[in-house]
Amino acid sequence: MDGIEIARQRLRSSRSPVALTGAGVSAESGVPTFRGVEGLWKTLKPEDLATPEAFDRDPALVWEWYGWRRSIIASIRPNAAHYALVELEKRNPAFALITQNVDGLHSLAGSRNVIELHGSIWRTKCLGCGGSSEDRNAPIRIIPRCALCGGVLMPDVVWFGEALPEGLLDRAFEASEGADVMIAAGTSGVVQPTASLPSIAKKAGAYLIEVNPEPTPLSGIMDARLAGKAGELLPGLL
Ligand code: APR
């Protein structure tokens, strides 16, 4: 498997680089990851907090959890990994950033072409009128209500068992098929269909670089595996 110098050269000569990021990219900012030793899913159950059924059963519990996460994210800053990807976009306007993160830190850092596949913790959608709107309250009122129709608001994120928004998924497939280099950083690579994007890119001829302290199910198809933290490795890679 190639090392960082070859990966760096491939990225330097790339015309259409794409990054796929996951919770690990925000870990150094202080956002808890979902899996791994200290991952949220070690002590909490997704079926209690991150499914449509959980929300139907106990919207207050789900909102308490999202309120807690909002409060953490509201007080933190992007890290060197986010800023490195902003730099990559500046160098290469064709760059696309596909993220599973709902924290908004890529945009806060300055990335523009961000495909937020799993939605945003800073948006709500109304069960009554279906409207989606930005809401940056942290803490947030439990349970928040729609200003237009009074309906119950839910976090505008994608939960387990839900389909990804079609338009966004199409954009992610398109970017992956058009990539000549794809960096997969800070993702455990187990949540579908996002986890299949690197193999789609590979089939279309992309050079794959993984940045993660731990091996993942994606490691086997990578051309370069950089074992370490995204905030430490990504700036050097660029
Ligand atoms: N730098 C790079 N990678 C890191 C770092 C770091 N500093 N710290 C941890 N990681 C890696 C872990 O080794 C792990 O492989 O980040 C990965 C985080 O994995 P997950 O928590 O599973 O995050 P992600 O892949 O984004 O999860 C996908 O699962 O629960 C859902 O909706 C949630 O979007 C999330 C989805």
Side-chain angles (χ1 to χ4, degrees):
M1 201 170 286
D2 297 345
I4 190 162
E5 192 45 48
I6 297 177
R8 200 180 278 139
Q9 282 167 17
R10 295 299 292 248
L11 198 54
R12 202 176 295 138
S13 58
S14 165
R15 287 171 167 271
S16 50
V18 168
L20 169 64
T21 66
V25 158
S26 294
E28 289 155 82
S29 291
V31 185
T33 60
F34 295 95
R35 297 170 188 80
V37 189
E38 291 176 13
L40 292 168
W41 299 146
K42 281 271 178 209
T43 50
L44 303 170
K45 290 192 193 143
E47 57 272 30
D48 291 340
L49 299 166
T51 65
E53 294 76 21
F55 193 80
D56 285 347
R57 220 169 28 238
D58 196 344
L61 176 72
V62 173
W63 265 119
E64 268 175 41
W65 189 60
Y66 275 88
W68 170 74
R69 289 174 59 201
R70 276 178 173 234
S71 300
I72 295 177
I73 298 164
S75 64
I76 62 179
R77 304 288 311 154
N79 65 59
H82 298 105
Y83 290 117
L85 295 173
V86 175
E87 198 49 43
L88 184 55
E89 184 172 34
K90 278 190 195 148
R91 275 195 225 166
N92 203 319
F95 173 69
L97 175 43
I98 305 166
T99 188
Q100 298 161 90
N101 299 343
V102 297
D103 55 33
L105 290 178
H106 284 302
S107 300
L108 188 62
S111 286
R112 289 175 187 279
N113 190 12
V114 186
I115 303 169
E116 287 184 317
L117 271 185
H118 291 180
S120 167
I121 201 165
W122 301 119
R123 276 202 322 267
T124 57
K125 63 182 173 215
C126 177
L127 283 177
C129 63
S132 165
S133 55
E134 190 178 82
D135 175 339
R136 300 196 77 88
N137 289 323
I140 188 162
R141 176 186 153 196
I142 292 169
I143 299 164
R145 294 269 174 180
C146 177
L148 293 177
C149 77
V152 169
L153 295 175
M154 60 196 290
D156 194 359
V157 297
V158 178
W159 281 324
F160 286 94
E162 289 190 302
L164 299 185
E166 224 170 86
L168 291 184
L169 190 57
D170 287 348
R171 276 175 65 199
F173 279 132
E174 208 174 292
S176 303
E177 279 160 0
D180 56 9
V181 172
M182 179 182 270
I183 304 169
T187 178
S188 56
V190 295
V191 175
Q192 294 294 354
T194 313
S196 65
L197 295 175
S199 57
I200 288 170
K202 177 119 186 163
K203 270 189 208 121
Y207 180 86
L208 301 186
I209 305 168
E210 179 169 63
V211 180
N212 196 314
E214 306 295 332
T216 72
L218 301 175
S219 301
I221 61 164
M222 293 290 151
D223 297 294
R225 217 195 93 68
L226 309 181
K229 296 183 173 179
E232 291 167 8
L233 289 174
L234 279 180
L237 181 62
L238 304 179

